[in-house]
Amino acid sequence: MPLSARRVKAEDWKWSFEYLASPENKSPYAQLFSKVKGYDDYRQGESGEITGIRVLDNYQLQIELTDSYAPFIYNLTKTAAAVMPKNAVLNKDNFSIIPIGTGAFKINDFTKAQVNLVKNNNYWKNNYQDEVLPYLEQVQINFSTKSEEKGDYQQYDIYQLNAESYRYFRDNEIHDDYQLKKIPQDIYYFLTYNYSSSKQFNSNSPGIRSSMRSNLNKIDFKEVDSPNLMLPISNNDQESYLQRIYKLTQENKFENYKLEDNIKAINLISSDSKNSTLITELIRSKLQNNKLTVNLKKYNWAEYLNLINDSFKAELFLMTYKYHNKFDFLADNFYSESELNYSSYNNQRVDNLIDYLKLVNSLGSRRQAYQIIEDILANDNPFVFVLQGAEARIFSNRVAGQDLFTNIYLKDNYELIYLK
């Protein structure tokens, strides 16, 4: 039976989870199932399966944990935990070019210059009016050469911009039929203190930390000429938990504190990615204008991760994270025993509340715990600033013969128009 015609069954989920957790595949996301019964035996080769994942019938899967852990449900929503068909994945020669999925569109054909997607008539989702999605019958994605980008964009309804074409359209916004927009992503760049690196950024130095944050907040990050970054706080309707905590720290309670009288130099490290380089170079130039020497070092990603996992001398460092829920964000960055708590943040009250969130299921109790943590971090968080990732695109005012963004009664029907 063709893969495209086969039903997704519980055994597919079990196989996918065990494939992800297999030590042979060396996935960094294997730990998503570390709290499942039998995980350790499976990882150590003492069992051929994760015994806590059981297939009850074709459409029921049971997962047993070793301990109570309410946030585990979040682990199952991670992209890495998606279901995959075994016979397609193991066909390694073709899986990368014949992808299998349950999305709104299917690949019809593709070449090096173009991908054609057609509507999936069996797509599971409806809109708020119970109408079948997707709305579009087909989508064509073109990979144009640089010489074509500036002249032929008119033929597209939706067009993602690289850095060069983004600057061109931003500087020449004279085309009535197109709108240049930045679409927010759930990727965040943030600069944070390393509390363990020196005495000047420990938890008992709020004046220095507040003054550093105040100085960096004066930087106009519009100068970071990249199509892939938003301003420090965007005006999204769905503001992230990280953004809310950061916004609460903006009030400078130490206005008379002069940073230059207390610090003459500071060490800053980052990865050598393009965006990280643009951000850190701007920080260095602005702080040095304030007579503060910034010793900036950049590393490839592997070197960088080794550095921040080890003790290092950088007092500030730039990180990139993607978070889909509040608990992961807090447990990774603020729990004192977390391996991802690179800032060495330590607050016993926050630890206790995170432990509490691992156990409690009551929505009201969880909401209250999150609010208390937010109040604590408003005065005691190591993030200096936050930049949100984005994708720059131009949109035709008309897609599939309909006016977009102008008719308030129609625009909500285009919830998938961004092709997220």
Side-chain angles (χ1 to χ4, degrees):
M1 180 182 293
L3 283 171
S4 58
R6 184 170 72 77
R7 290 179 179 271
V8 178
K9 296 184 178 181
E11 61 186 25
D12 293 308
W13 287 102
K14 177 175 172 65
W15 181 85
S16 297
F17 292 162
E18 290 175 344
Y19 182 80
L20 177 67
S22 171
E24 295 180 1
N25 294 323
K26 299 179 181 180
S27 171
Y29 299 100
Q31 51 81 33
L32 292 176
F33 296 94
S34 62
K35 294 187 179 296
V36 177
K37 185 177 180 180
Y39 172 85
D40 290 337
D41 289 344
Y42 179 70
R43 292 282 293 179
Q44 294 166 13
E46 297 176 4
S47 174
E49 64 171 340
I50 301 178
T51 55
I53 303 176
R54 291 187 285 272
V55 174
L56 302 183
D57 58 36
N58 282 342
Y59 303 108
Q60 291 190 77
L61 189 74
Q62 183 182 78
I63 300 177
E64 181 181 357
L65 305 183
T66 55
D67 304 293
S68 295
Y69 187 70
F72 177 75
I73 193 69
Y74 293 133
N75 293 2
L76 301 181
T77 67
K78 297 284 190 180
T79 302
V83 63
M84 300 181 293
K86 176 180 178 180
N87 43 344
V89 174
L90 297 183
N91 183 10
K92 299 181 183 298
D93 293 336
N94 292 321
F95 186 54
S96 60
I97 60 174
I98 309 177
I100 305 297
T102 56
F105 295 92
K106 301 184 292 184
I107 290 182
N108 187 43
D109 59 73
F110 67 90
T111 64
K112 289 183 177 180
Q114 187 180 90
V115 175
N116 290 298
L117 306 177
V118 295
K119 180 178 181 178
N120 179 4
N121 292 319
N122 294 318
Y123 186 54
W124 58 274
K125 188 176 182 182
N126 294 343
N127 68 3
Y128 68 99
Q129 294 175 326
D130 206 31
E131 297 171 332
V132 176
L133 296 174
Y135 306 110
L136 302 180
E137 293 294 328
Q138 62 181 17
V139 176
Q140 184 182 93
I141 303 171
N142 294 275
F143 305 102
S144 304
T145 64
K146 287 186 177 181
S147 60
E148 295 172 328
E149 284 176 348
K150 296 177 183 178
D152 294 344
Y153 69 91
Q154 288 93 345
Q155 66 181 292
Y156 309 120
D157 292 323
I158 304 171
Y159 190 89
Q160 186 169 350
L161 304 176
N162 62 22
E164 180 183 345
S165 53
Y166 169 72
R167 285 191 290 271
Y168 174 83
F169 287 110
R170 188 196 58 192
D171 295 337
N172 299 275
E173 292 185 68
I174 57 175
H175 311 290
D176 294 338
D177 294 336
Y178 283 81
Q179 304 175 55
L180 177 60
K181 290 183 177 288
K182 278 193 173 186
I183 309 304
Q185 294 180 308
D186 54 358
I187 298 174
Y188 294 91
Y189 295 78
F190 54 79
L191 192 73
T192 186
Y193 306 112
N194 173 17
Y195 286 133
S196 66
S197 64
S198 68
K199 294 181 179 179
Q200 62 192 29
F201 284 115
N202 62 36
S203 296
N204 297 318
S205 56
I208 290 178
R209 289 187 285 116
S210 179
S211 182
M212 176 63 70
R213 184 180 286 118
S214 177
N215 272 267
L216 289 171
N217 284 339
K218 295 175 183 176
I219 296 177
D220 183 3
F221 282 96
K222 291 180 181 178
E223 294 182 42
V224 180
D225 193 12
S226 169
N228 305 119
L229 292 175
M230 305 288 283
L231 294 178
I233 291 296
S234 68
N235 295 317
N236 296 344
D237 292 335
Q238 299 297 322
E239 187 177 65
S240 76
Y241 194 66
L242 187 155
Q243 289 172 308
R244 290 205 305 275
I245 292 174
Y246 170 73
K247 186 177 289 186
L248 290 172
T249 67
Q250 298 311 293
E251 180 182 352
N252 185 11
K253 301 175 182 178
F254 299 86
E255 294 183 3
N256 297 323
Y257 191 98
K258 292 186 178 180
L259 192 65
E260 59 272 19
D261 293 340
N262 293 275
I263 300 178
K264 300 302 180 185
I266 193 167
N267 298 320
L268 167 63
I269 71 168
S270 76
S271 69
D272 59 0
S273 71
K274 185 173 183 179
N275 281 335
S276 294
T277 298
L278 290 170
I279 294 168
T280 50
E281 290 287 1
L282 178 61
I283 290 170
R284 177 165 65 174
S285 66
K286 296 299 183 182
L287 289 183
Q288 290 189 161
N289 289 342
N290 291 336
K291 301 178 181 179
L292 179 63
T293 300
V294 177
N295 301 314
L296 172 61
K297 292 186 178 181
K298 291 170 284 188
Y299 303 88
N300 67 47
W301 190 244
E303 293 173 329
Y304 181 67
L305 287 180
N306 286 333
L307 267 174
I308 57 179
N309 271 303
D310 196 0
S311 58
F312 64 99
K313 302 299 182 182
E315 288 139 328
L316 292 175
F317 59 97
L318 187 72
M319 285 298 293
T320 307
Y321 277 146
K322 177 185 288 190
Y323 286 104
H324 296 285
N325 64 76
K326 293 186 287 190
F327 180 82
D328 281 354
F329 166 62
L330 295 172
D332 284 354
N333 295 286
F334 297 105
Y335 193 65
S336 61
E337 297 182 12
S338 166
E339 294 181 355
L340 300 179
N341 180 5
Y342 300 123
S343 65
S344 300
Y345 180 83
N346 191 334
N347 185 302
Q348 188 60 53
R349 288 186 67 202
V350 173
D351 280 357
N352 292 341
L353 286 162
I354 290 175
D355 285 334
Y356 175 74
L357 285 167
K358 294 176 183 177
L359 302 174
V360 67
N361 288 313
S362 165
L363 183 60
S365 298
R366 294 179 66 81
R367 187 179 294 118
Q368 185 178 17
Y370 282 125
Q371 182 60 57
I372 295 172
I373 294 175
E374 187 174 314
D375 292 340
I376 295 171
L377 295 178
N379 297 307
D380 190 35
N381 107 71
F383 298 152
V384 185
F385 69 78
V386 178
L387 287 166
Q388 186 172 9
E391 288 183 351
R393 299 179 183 176
I394 53 172
F395 288 77
S396 167
N397 282 332
R398 296 178 65 82
V399 173
Q402 296 285 341
D403 290 329
L404 297 183
F405 312 115
T406 52
N407 187 325
I408 61 172
Y409 300 105
L410 282 178
K411 67 178 183 179
D412 288 338
N413 287 334
Y414 288 90
E415 59 183 291
L416 295 180
I417 202 67
Y418 299 128
L419 302 182
K420 282 188 177 180

